Amino acid sequence: MDWLERTATLRQWTKGGARAPHKPLLFLYALGRFQQDADCGLFYSAVEEDLKRLLAEYGPPNRTTPAYPFHHLVSDGVWEVWTDHGPGSPGSAVRELRASGAVGRLSPELRTALRREPSLLGRMARVLLDLHFPPSLHSELCEAVGLEVEPVETGLLSSARRQRDRRMRELVLTAYEYQCAFCGYDGRIGAVPVGLEAAHVRWWAFDGPDEIDNGLCLCALHHKLFDKGVLGVGDGHRVLVSQHFVGRSPAAREQVLALAGRPLIGPQPGVRPVAARHRSWHTSQVFHGSPRPDAHPPLSGSRAGSHIGPQGNARAPTG
């Protein structure tokens, strides 16, 4: 049985590019618990809050329940559920899962395979991470589920698996003139940019292309906040800041809250800006809640399309 292929082809609800990471998150959580205690069963009532937190932090903006993957992951052959009455899930209703003493764990065949080949666990985890989450979230997600994963080669899972374009980072950083599109940060060590990254607007794992109009040059902080749904890009290519974000320190106010409504810095003239379809996907699938009011309302008489420089000063586009 090809466990990597099975991991890569979990049955998920899909419609219009919507994210449905419920099963992958439960699977990662179960792998982490297996790594800590291979014989431990996961009682739904005991892990419900952990799974809720994972879905709230790494799932889509809409409210959801961990009962759905706890029941439905069984159909993928990697998970089993027992109740006080014997094998089999009572369904996806929260009340039934609690009342029946439902307990889940990796399927017997998978547990045997992981005991026989311990490195398989890390490869399966890498497949789940690569196919469902952006690289900026991998380390913290592993920490959140208690997984210790060594860098490994997962290999080609199928002939249809897409390959990343290694030129993407250089093309995006050049398009935005090596500065963060949100704050203008442009640090270097000698001639080498440091702390600047190419962010996919529509995640690569969800068919986001390696093209400039799906990319932003962002500093490491704002890349993480962008992928966590704290920041977004709205109409007019202005920065969105989620109302769910709370920060009282001067740093939080200056580096996050003050960005609300600020025009993006770049791209340079002649380069396609972020496409509306990719902005729309990020807003509906990643960005949390409603945006805060603009911290930078347009000045009357100001020219449309002006940018905000690194220190918050408006400047007209060059070229």
Side-chain angles (χ1 to χ4, degrees):
M1 183 176 297
D2 191 335
W3 290 107
L4 293 181
E5 188 72 35
R6 182 164 291 192
T7 301
T9 55
L10 296 179
R11 299 169 187 169
Q12 294 174 273
W13 180 87
T14 57
K15 183 178 180 181
R19 293 176 60 214
H22 311 71
K23 286 183 177 180
L25 284 170
L26 173 59
F27 201 175
L28 283 168
Y29 184 83
L31 290 173
R33 294 295 291 268
F34 180 88
Q35 194 175 56
Q36 297 166 24
D37 183 352
D39 297 316
C40 179
L42 305 180
F43 283 88
Y44 181 80
S45 58
V47 302
E48 183 179 11
E49 290 304 315
D50 282 352
L51 297 175
K52 279 183 178 179
R53 283 192 292 270
L54 286 173
L55 284 168
E57 189 163 1
Y58 300 101
N62 53 299
R63 295 182 63 183
T64 187
T65 170
Y68 170 84
F70 202 93
H71 166 71
H72 287 287
L73 189 58
V74 173
S75 66
D76 293 283
V78 299
W79 178 252
E80 65 174 1
V81 176
W82 289 62
T83 69
D84 295 338
H85 307 293
S89 172
S92 59
V94 172
R95 182 177 299 178
E96 291 300 318
L97 287 168
R98 292 173 180 167
S100 63
V103 58
R105 61 179 180 174
L106 300 177
S107 67
E109 298 84 359
L110 178 52
R111 297 200 307 271
T112 299
L114 291 172
R115 289 189 177 99
R116 185 174 58 246
E117 186 183 357
S119 65
L120 177 61
L121 187 148
R123 298 201 303 275
M124 293 175 68
R126 286 292 177 190
V127 169
L128 292 168
L129 292 168
D130 286 345
L131 293 182
H132 302 285
F133 305 96
S136 66
L137 302 183
H138 289 184
S139 294
E140 70 170 67
L141 186 47
C142 285
E143 184 176 346
V145 299
L147 262 175
E148 294 184 10
V149 180
E150 296 295 329
V152 294
E153 290 295 327
T154 57
L156 291 177
L157 301 179
S158 72
S159 59
R161 186 173 181 183
R162 294 191 303 140
Q163 298 297 305
R164 292 178 182 269
D165 187 340
R166 296 182 179 180
R167 302 171 300 167
M168 173 74 169
R169 179 178 184 274
E170 187 62 27
L171 290 172
V172 170
L173 266 60
T174 298
Y176 285 84
E177 301 180 287
Y178 293 88
Q179 58 182 336
C180 176
F182 288 171
C183 70
Y185 169 83
D186 60 355
R188 294 172 179 263
I189 295 180
V192 180
V194 60
L196 287 172
E197 301 167 353
H200 282 76
V201 179
R202 183 185 181 115
W203 293 355
W204 187 87
F206 287 84
D207 298 322
D210 285 332
E211 297 175 358
I212 291 177
D213 67 358
N214 186 42
L216 285 171
C217 176
L218 298 176
C219 66
L221 170 64
H222 291 136
H223 188 178
K224 176 63 70 69
L225 296 180
F226 186 65
D227 283 345
K228 293 294 286 285
V230 172
L231 300 175
V233 179
D235 295 337
H237 297 275
R238 291 179 174 270
V239 181
L240 303 178
V241 178
S242 172
Q243 290 184 346
H244 292 181
F245 177 81
V246 177
R248 298 180 177 84
S249 67
R253 291 196 299 270
E254 294 167 8
Q255 297 180 37
V256 183
L257 298 177
L259 297 178
R262 177 178 292 187
L264 294 185
I265 301 170
Q268 59 180 286
V271 176
R272 291 173 298 167
V274 177
R277 65 186 185 280
H278 300 320
R279 289 191 285 110
S280 176
W281 182 89
H282 186 276
T283 300
S284 65
Q285 298 301 315
V286 181
F287 187 75
H288 281 277
S290 301
R292 288 174 172 267
D294 288 0
H296 300 272
L299 300 175
S300 59
S302 62
R303 290 201 295 171
S306 65
H307 301 283
I308 300 295
Q311 305 303 320
N313 300 315
R315 60 179 175 86
T318 58

